[in-house]
Coordinates of all heavy atoms in Angstrom, one line a residue:
Chain A
L394 N 29.0 -80.8 17.6 CA 29.3 -81.7 18.7 C 28.1 -82.8 19.0 O 28.2 -83.9 19.5 CB 29.8 -81.2 20.0 CG 31.1 -80.5 19.9 CD1 31.4 -79.8 21.2 CD2 32.2 -81.5 19.5
S395 N 26.9 -82.1 18.8 CA 25.6 -83.0 19.0 C 25.5 -84.1 18.2 O 24.8 -85.1 18.5 CB 24.4 -82.1 19.0 OG 24.2 -81.8 17.5
K396 N 26.2 -84.2 17.0 CA 26.0 -85.3 16.0 C 27.0 -86.5 16.5 O 26.9 -87.6 16.0 CB 26.5 -84.9 14.7 CG 25.7 -83.6 14.1 CD 24.3 -84.1 13.8 CE 23.6 -82.9 13.4 NZ 22.1 -83.2 13.2
L397 N 28.0 -86.3 17.5 CA 28.9 -87.2 17.9 C 28.4 -88.2 19.0 O 27.6 -87.9 19.8 CB 30.2 -86.5 18.3 CG 30.8 -85.6 17.4 CD1 32.2 -85.0 17.9 CD2 31.2 -86.3 15.8
K398 N 28.9 -89.4 18.7 CA 28.5 -90.4 19.8 C 29.7 -90.3 20.9 O 30.9 -90.1 20.4 CB 28.5 -91.7 19.3 CG 27.4 -92.0 18.4 CD 27.4 -93.5 17.9 CE 26.2 -93.8 16.9 NZ 26.4 -93.0 15.6
M399 N 29.3 -90.5 22.1 CA 30.4 -90.5 23.1 C 31.0 -91.9 23.1 O 30.4 -93.0 23.2 CB 29.8 -90.3 24.6 CG 29.4 -88.8 24.7 SD 31.0 -87.8 24.5 CE 30.5 -86.5 23.5
L400 N 32.3 -91.9 23.3 CA 33.0 -93.1 23.4 C 33.3 -93.5 24.8 O 33.0 -94.8 25.1 CB 34.4 -92.9 22.6 CG 35.3 -94.2 22.1 CD1 34.3 -94.9 21.1 CD2 36.5 -93.7 21.5
R401 N 33.8 -92.6 25.5 CA 34.2 -92.9 27.0 C 33.9 -91.7 27.7 O 34.1 -90.5 27.3 CB 35.6 -93.3 27.0 CG 36.1 -94.5 26.3 CD 37.6 -94.9 26.9 NE 38.5 -93.8 26.7 CZ 39.1 -93.5 25.5 NH1 38.8 -94.2 24.5 NH2 40.0 -92.6 25.5
T402 N 33.5 -91.9 29.1 CA 33.6 -90.8 30.1 C 34.4 -91.4 31.3 O 34.3 -92.6 31.4 CB 32.2 -90.5 30.5 OG1 31.6 -91.4 31.5 CG2 31.3 -90.2 29.4
W403 N 35.0 -90.5 32.1 CA 35.6 -90.8 33.2 C 35.7 -89.9 34.2 O 35.4 -88.7 33.9 CB 37.1 -91.4 32.8 CG 38.0 -90.4 32.2 CD1 38.8 -89.7 33.0 CD2 38.1 -90.0 30.9 NE1 39.5 -88.9 32.3 CE2 39.0 -89.0 30.9 CE3 37.5 -90.4 29.7 CZ2 39.4 -88.3 29.7 CZ3 37.9 -89.7 28.7 CH2 38.8 -88.8 28.5
G404 N 36.3 -90.2 35.4 CA 36.3 -89.1 36.4 C 37.6 -89.4 37.3 O 38.1 -90.4 37.4
G405 N 38.0 -88.2 37.8 CA 39.2 -88.4 38.7 C 39.0 -87.4 39.8 O 38.1 -86.6 39.8
I406 N 39.7 -87.7 41.0 CA 39.3 -87.0 42.2 C 40.4 -85.9 42.4 O 41.7 -86.0 42.3 CB 39.2 -87.8 43.6 CG1 40.5 -88.8 43.5 CG2 37.9 -88.5 43.4 CD1 40.4 -89.5 44.9
M407 N 39.9 -84.6 42.4 CA 40.7 -83.4 42.5 C 41.0 -82.9 43.8 O 40.0 -82.9 44.7 CB 40.1 -82.3 41.6 CG 39.6 -82.6 40.3 SD 41.0 -82.7 39.2 CE 40.6 -84.5 38.7
D408 N 42.2 -82.4 44.1 CA 42.6 -81.9 45.4 C 42.2 -80.3 45.2 O 43.2 -79.6 44.8 CB 43.9 -82.0 45.8 CG 44.9 -82.1 44.7 OD1 44.6 -82.3 43.6 OD2 46.2 -81.9 44.9
M409 N 41.0 -79.9 45.6 CA 40.6 -78.5 45.3 C 41.0 -77.6 46.5 O 40.6 -77.9 47.6 CB 39.0 -78.5 45.2 CG 38.5 -79.3 44.1 SD 39.1 -78.8 42.5 CE 38.4 -77.2 42.2
S410 N 41.8 -76.7 46.3 CA 42.3 -75.8 47.4 C 41.2 -74.8 47.5 O 40.4 -74.3 46.6 CB 43.7 -75.2 47.1 OG 43.5 -74.3 46.0
M411 N 41.4 -73.9 48.6 CA 40.3 -73.0 48.9 C 40.5 -71.6 48.1 O 39.7 -70.8 48.2 CB 40.3 -72.7 50.4 CG 39.7 -73.8 51.2 SD 38.0 -74.3 50.9 CE 37.9 -75.8 51.5
D412 N 41.6 -71.5 47.4 CA 41.7 -70.3 46.6 C 42.1 -70.8 45.0 O 42.2 -69.9 44.2 CB 42.7 -69.3 47.1 CG 44.2 -69.8 47.0 OD1 44.3 -71.1 46.7 OD2 45.1 -69.2 47.3
G413 N 41.9 -72.0 44.9 CA 42.2 -72.5 43.5 C 43.6 -72.6 43.0 O 43.9 -72.9 41.8
S414 N 44.4 -72.3 43.9 CA 45.9 -72.4 43.6 C 46.5 -73.4 44.3 O 46.1 -73.8 45.6 CB 46.6 -71.1 43.8 OG 46.1 -70.0 42.9
P415 N 47.7 -74.0 43.9 CA 48.3 -75.2 44.7 C 49.1 -74.8 45.8 O 49.3 -73.5 46.1 CB 49.2 -75.8 43.6 CG 49.5 -74.6 42.7 CD 48.3 -73.7 42.7
I416 N 49.6 -75.7 46.6 CA 50.4 -75.8 47.7 C 51.6 -76.5 47.5 O 51.5 -77.7 47.2 CB 49.6 -76.2 49.0 CG1 48.4 -75.3 49.2 CG2 50.6 -76.2 50.1 CD1 47.5 -75.9 50.2
I417 N 52.8 -75.9 47.4 CA 54.0 -76.6 47.4 C 54.9 -76.1 48.6 O 55.5 -74.9 48.4 CB 54.9 -76.4 46.0 CG1 54.0 -76.9 45.0 CG2 56.2 -77.4 46.1 CD1 54.6 -76.7 43.6
D418 N 55.0 -76.7 49.6 CA 55.7 -76.1 50.8 C 56.1 -77.1 51.9 O 55.8 -78.3 51.7 CB 54.6 -75.2 51.5 CG 55.1 -74.2 52.4 OD1 56.4 -74.1 52.5 OD2 54.4 -73.3 52.9
K419 N 56.9 -76.6 52.8 CA 57.2 -77.4 53.9 C 56.0 -77.3 54.9 O 55.1 -76.7 54.6 CB 58.4 -76.6 54.6 CG 59.7 -76.6 53.8 CD 60.7 -75.6 54.3 CE 61.2 -75.9 55.7 NZ 62.3 -75.0 56.1
T420 N 56.1 -78.3 56.0 CA 54.9 -78.3 56.8 C 55.6 -78.1 58.2 O 56.8 -77.8 58.4 CB 54.4 -79.7 56.9 OG1 55.4 -80.6 57.3 CG2 53.9 -80.2 55.4
H421 N 54.6 -78.1 59.3 CA 55.2 -77.8 60.7 C 55.9 -79.1 61.2 O 56.6 -79.0 62.1 CB 53.9 -77.6 61.7 CG 53.1 -78.8 61.8 ND1 52.2 -79.2 60.9 CD2 53.0 -79.7 62.9 CE1 51.6 -80.3 61.4 NE2 52.0 -80.6 62.6
I422 N 55.9 -80.1 60.4 CA 56.8 -81.4 60.7 C 58.0 -81.3 60.0 O 58.0 -81.2 58.8 CB 56.1 -82.6 60.4 CG1 54.8 -82.8 61.2 CG2 57.0 -83.8 60.8 CD1 53.7 -83.8 61.0
E423 N 59.2 -81.3 60.7 CA 60.4 -81.1 59.9 C 60.7 -82.4 59.0 O 60.6 -83.5 59.4 CB 61.6 -81.0 61.0 CG 62.8 -80.5 60.4 CD 64.0 -80.3 61.5 OE1 63.6 -80.1 62.6 OE2 65.1 -80.8 61.2
G424 N 61.1 -82.1 57.8 CA 61.3 -83.1 56.8 C 60.1 -83.7 56.2 O 60.2 -84.4 55.3
L425 N 58.9 -83.1 56.4 CA 57.6 -83.5 55.7 C 57.2 -82.3 54.9 O 57.1 -81.2 55.2 CB 56.6 -83.8 56.7 CG 55.2 -84.3 56.0 CD1 55.5 -85.8 55.6 CD2 54.0 -84.1 56.9
Y426 N 57.1 -82.7 53.4 CA 56.8 -81.7 52.5 C 55.6 -82.0 51.8 O 55.2 -83.2 51.6 CB 58.0 -81.6 51.4 CG 59.4 -81.4 52.1 CD1 60.0 -82.6 52.6 CD2 59.8 -80.1 52.2 CE1 61.3 -82.3 53.2 CE2 61.0 -79.9 52.9 CZ 61.7 -81.1 53.4 OH 63.0 -80.8 54.1
L427 N 54.7 -80.9 51.3 CA 53.5 -81.1 50.9 C 53.4 -80.5 49.5 O 53.7 -79.3 49.2 CB 52.5 -80.4 51.8 CG 51.0 -80.7 51.7 CD1 50.7 -82.2 51.9 CD2 50.3 -79.8 52.7
N428 N 52.8 -81.2 48.6 CA 52.5 -80.7 47.3 C 51.0 -81.2 46.9 O 50.8 -82.5 46.7 CB 53.5 -81.6 46.3 CG 53.3 -81.2 44.7 OD1 52.2 -80.8 44.4 ND2 54.4 -81.3 44.1
C429 N 50.1 -80.3 46.9 CA 48.8 -80.5 46.7 C 47.9 -79.2 46.3 O 48.5 -78.2 46.1 CB 48.2 -81.1 48.0 SG 48.2 -79.9 49.3
G430 N 46.6 -79.4 46.1 CA 45.8 -78.3 45.8 C 45.9 -77.9 44.3 O 45.7 -76.7 44.0
W431 N 46.0 -78.9 43.4 CA 46.1 -78.7 42.0 C 44.8 -78.3 41.3 O 44.9 -78.0 40.1 CB 47.0 -79.7 41.3 CG 48.3 -79.8 41.9 CD1 48.9 -80.5 42.8 CD2 49.3 -78.7 41.5 NE1 50.2 -80.1 43.0 CE2 50.5 -79.0 42.1 CE3 49.3 -77.7 40.6 CZ2 51.6 -78.2 42.1 CZ3 50.5 -76.9 40.4 CH2 51.6 -77.2 41.2
C432 N 43.7 -78.5 41.9 CA 42.4 -78.3 41.3 C 42.2 -78.8 39.9 O 42.6 -80.0 39.8 CB 42.2 -76.7 41.3 SG 42.2 -76.0 43.0
Y433 N 41.9 -78.0 38.9 CA 41.6 -78.4 37.5 C 43.0 -78.6 36.8 O 42.9 -79.1 35.7 CB 40.7 -77.5 36.9 CG 39.5 -77.2 37.4 CD1 39.3 -76.1 38.3 CD2 38.4 -78.0 37.1 CE1 38.1 -75.8 38.8 CE2 37.2 -77.7 37.5 CZ 37.0 -76.6 38.5 OH 35.8 -76.3 38.9
G434 N 44.1 -78.0 37.4 CA 45.3 -77.8 36.5 C 46.5 -78.6 36.8 O 47.6 -78.2 36.7

Side-chain angles (χ1 to χ4, degrees):
Chain A
L394 294 173
S395 69
K396 305 286 181 195
L397 301 181
K398 293 184 182 69
M399 281 303 130
L400 197 64
R401 297 191 301 279
T402 76
W403 65 93
I406 52 173
M407 307 291 121
D408 35 341
M409 302 299 294
S410 70
M411 291 293 162
D412 63 354
S414 299
I416 295 161
I417 308 176
D418 203 0
K419 298 159 66 169
T420 64
H421 70 284
I422 299 169
E423 198 182 322
L425 184 77
Y426 306 87
L427 193 60
N428 179 335
C429 62
W431 291 100
C432 301
Y433 302 91

